[in-house]
Amino acid sequence: MDKTIVLDVGDTLVTDGMQEMFICIHNEYKIDFFRIFAAYRILKRALWSGSLSIDSFWKQLGSKLGIELDSTDCSQHLIKLSTLIIPSKTLDVINSSKNVVLFTNHRSEWLYPILKNAGIKIDRDKIFCSDEKSFVKPDISSFVDLSNSLNTKDILFVDDNYSNLVSASEFGWSIQMAYYGWWNLVWGI
């Protein structure tokens, strides 16, 4: 059996829409980028695990920054800002492969439109989104759950986050940092 390729989404397949949103907030409200990121870090685990609603996230983020953020507008903007960053040949390989799985800290309300807009066509049963599974990488339990679901340990994990790669490696998965050109190392294209 071929190795299962497990891919992160943000900054691996598409741009990180949240980071792009922070840039927009910084530019519009002249709030220091690091202040925005610090406020986000307080909320992100609850957001990605699904225990904090999207509406509450934008409201609380705005409150921490002293501004009002409209949940619908921010969510729609975040989806639009998440654009494909892989070459079309890589997209074709991903879309035609039976052994590619997505494993991401994300909100399903954002993720599925982002994937559709980017042309990424993965069966829903091969998408492991943190808010649907109540996990947050790099918790080792998230790797255990996914590995059990896949019924294999012959996994190559591609992610842009060092902490996630460390957890995957400690769990016994092969790892690849998602820097520009990672697809050449994985598929030779």
Side-chain angles (χ1 to χ4, degrees), residues 63-106:
S63 176
K64 290 180 183 310
L65 300 174
I67 59 176
E68 190 171 316
L69 296 171
D70 181 88
S71 177
T72 301
D73 289 346
C74 288
S75 292
Q76 289 174 351
H77 200 58
L78 182 144
I79 291 167
K80 288 178 191 172
L81 291 169
S82 301
T83 58
L84 192 67
I85 58 174
I86 57 173
S88 60
K89 280 186 179 181
T90 304
L91 179 61
D92 293 343
V93 169
I94 290 169
N95 285 340
S96 65
S97 178
K98 301 291 185 222
N99 64 337
V100 172
V101 173
L102 302 183
F103 182 45
T104 186
N105 288 342
H106 222 297

Side-chain angles (χ1 to χ4, degrees), residues 132-143:
E132 294 178 332
K133 304 292 184 182
S134 299
F135 70 73
V136 179
K137 296 180 295 182
D139 293 352
I140 198 71
S141 61
S142 64
F143 294 90

Side-chain angles (χ1 to χ4, degrees), residues 115-174:
L115 295 176
K116 181 180 179 187
N117 292 347
I120 299 170
K121 299 170 185 158
I122 302 274
D123 292 339
R124 251 185 123 114
D125 66 335
K126 292 190 175 194
I127 299 173
F128 293 80
C129 186
S130 59
D131 74 320
E132 294 178 332
K133 304 292 184 182
S134 299
F135 70 73
V136 179
K137 296 180 295 182
D139 293 352
I140 198 71
S141 61
S142 64
F143 294 90
V144 172
D145 290 346
L146 178 57
S147 191
N148 289 340
S149 294
L150 297 175
N151 201 26
T152 183
K153 282 207 175 225
D154 191 16
I155 293 171
L156 173 63
F157 179 52
V158 182
D159 199 304
D160 66 306
N161 184 294
Y162 179 76
S163 297
N164 296 341
L165 293 170
V166 168
S167 288
S169 180
E170 289 174 352
F171 190 62
W173 292 3
S174 300

